[in-house]
Amino acid sequence: MTATAFWLAGRQATGETTFDVTSPWDGRTVGQVSVPTEAQVEEAVAAAHAVIDEFAATPAHVRAAALDHVSKRLAERTEEIARLISAENGKPIKWARGEVGRAVSVFRFAAEEARRFNGGEAQRLDTDAGGTGRLGLTRRFPKGVVLGIAPFNFPLNLCAHKIAPAIAVGAPIILKPAPATPLSGLILGDLLAETDLPAGSWSILPVTNDRMPALVKDERLPVISFTGSDKVGYAIQESVPHKHCTLELGGNAAAVVLGDWSSEEDLDWAATRIATFSNYQGGQSCISVQRVIADASVYDRLVAKVVTAVEAQGTGDPSDDATDVGPLVSEDAAKRVEAWVDEAVNAGAKLLTGGKRDGATYAPTVLENLPADVTLACEEVFGPVLTLHKVDGEAEAFAKVNDSKFGLQAGVFTHDLQTAFRAHRALEVGGVIIGDVPSYRADQMPYGGAKQSGVGREGVRYAMDDYTYERVLVLTGLAL
């Protein structure tokens, strides 16, 4: 098997060692990846730092054209790339196709934003006498090279969310894909290499996690965009408090079903959405539904529908179009989920369905009567596990959502507009989705959390703001 090359300052390169990428479904070797040496990593960082001024000055149409090109090429290669995602990640093929489609949009959105970014804001300064004849012009400029650190669960689209905004603003980027799923990120290099971006403006380096601290601490990489666990994210932030860190971390997202969401049609919709999005990606999404908080007036009816809908989720070979739930990223990940569920059941939780592991696959699982002090109640399970909670009224429901160290997104099933606005004000999360589960994300909207779910926002334009800073130009002696 020929090792897949990495991308060093815009060109393909190979190192002295390799590692295998294996399928979590059947253990087969999906590919072999070449690992950059220390000298090659240094070369990539030095090249990115050297091209800062040149890349920032690149005309907008050049950057936009490159982003448009990647978007179009991703669309052309959708099936091939989706099969690759499914093979290395274990994601069911239908969800993998959706991920490619989202990445197509991310690069297209970035191309659009690149064309209108930095039009500048003019401000009259003669509001006081000392500013007579003066005009302030504010524009945004890159903070420097971006270090993007991507996770395994969306191995293409979350790489896109690092790379595309950086290119849009003219900030060089070094991307570190997840070691478990590097092939999807590396394929972006194939497409970027077909563009006219300056050499050195991008590198994709599949280094191992133990080499990450050295990159994080490198002073030539002043911006860090990390998506992953809260433990690792905050360790990064604490190690480099003087750097700008965007941290997209964990959650234990709640779907609230209030008493006015009570018709059979309402509850069927809620149950279907909850069952689907507690299990999509094998539950390995920061905004998958982990908690259902339902009003007592609809709880029993909803529970029966949720259990039925969860049991209808088809598990199996991720390459099969009929599969809804594939394996977790590894058998160790599935064993951790198994241990957390077993702990909860032994502490008194009631298992309504699921609770079984087969290798890296964990059956879609529903529990109720969850004790408040078990791990499953406090942490992000990152697996196909759903817990059900009965409450009396809106106030108790919202308090239950907020009773968590995390605050990424929440879904609220209600028909009442006033309730929707109260939820928006009361819930300590980064996004509130009305009439649907918390798992909804549009790639152009601001996405990020409160509390221990991170700092900063992704969503193309919002990441562009994170990668840049405002600089004011004051013009003097003007006839305003």
Side-chain angles (χ1 to χ4, degrees), residues 255-317:
V256 176
V257 183
L258 294 175
D260 70 310
W261 198 272
S262 59
S263 72
E264 291 301 311
E265 183 181 6
D266 284 344
L267 295 178
D268 284 343
W269 163 257
T272 299
R273 298 293 284 177
I274 287 166
T276 298
F277 288 97
S278 63
N279 293 293
Y280 84 127
Q281 330 289 341
Q284 297 169 122
S285 169
C286 301
I287 46 176
S288 66
V289 184
Q290 183 168 332
R291 298 181 290 160
V292 173
I293 299 167
D295 189 84
S297 63
V298 298
Y299 181 85
D300 290 340
R301 293 162 60 209
L302 178 67
V303 168
K305 292 176 182 291
V306 166
V307 170
T308 297
V310 167
E311 290 177 341
Q313 295 284 302
T315 60
D317 185 344

Side-chain angles (χ1 to χ4, degrees), residues 128-266:
D128 286 317
T132 299
R134 296 178 187 263
L135 182 76
L137 179 66
T138 302
R139 296 165 61 200
R140 300 190 71 89
F141 294 86
K143 295 173 179 174
V145 183
V146 177
L147 172 61
I149 304 170
F152 70 82
N153 57 328
F154 289 86
L156 178 72
N157 195 44
L158 291 183
C159 288
H161 269 287
K162 310 300 182 189
I163 291 175
I167 292 173
V169 301
I173 180 163
I174 292 174
L175 176 75
K176 179 198 172 299
T181 57
L183 297 170
S184 304
L186 287 167
I187 210 165
L188 289 174
D190 297 351
L191 312 184
L192 288 167
E194 298 169 355
T195 71
D196 295 325
L197 295 175
S201 61
W202 59 275
S203 294
I204 303 176
L205 306 178
V207 297
T208 52
N209 286 341
D210 62 325
R211 294 170 64 187
M212 188 171 67
L215 277 170
V216 166
K217 293 179 181 179
D218 195 306
E219 293 298 327
R220 295 166 295 178
L221 308 175
V223 180
I224 298 171
S225 179
F226 171 84
T227 302
S229 74
D230 56 319
K231 179 180 178 181
V232 175
Y234 286 119
I236 289 173
Q237 186 182 54
E238 290 170 5
S239 71
V240 286
H242 58 293
K243 290 193 178 189
H244 178 90
C245 294
T246 297
L247 305 177
E248 298 298 337
L249 308 178
N252 57 357
V256 176
V257 183
L258 294 175
D260 70 310
W261 198 272
S262 59
S263 72
E264 291 301 311
E265 183 181 6
D266 284 344

Side-chain angles (χ1 to χ4, degrees), residues 228-231 234 248-254 286 290-291 340 375-381 400-410 427-430 449-454:
S229 74
D230 56 319
K231 179 180 178 181
Y234 286 119
E248 298 298 337
L249 308 178
N252 57 357
C286 301
Q290 183 168 332
R291 298 181 290 160
W340 288 15
T375 307
L376 189 58
C378 306
E379 301 293 339
E380 178 182 36
V381 64
K400 184 72 173 175
V401 174
N402 290 339
D403 185 21
S404 170
K405 67 179 181 179
F406 297 111
L408 193 48
Q409 291 196 162
L427 297 180
E428 299 165 353
V429 294
K451 299 191 282 190
Q452 291 188 35
S453 286

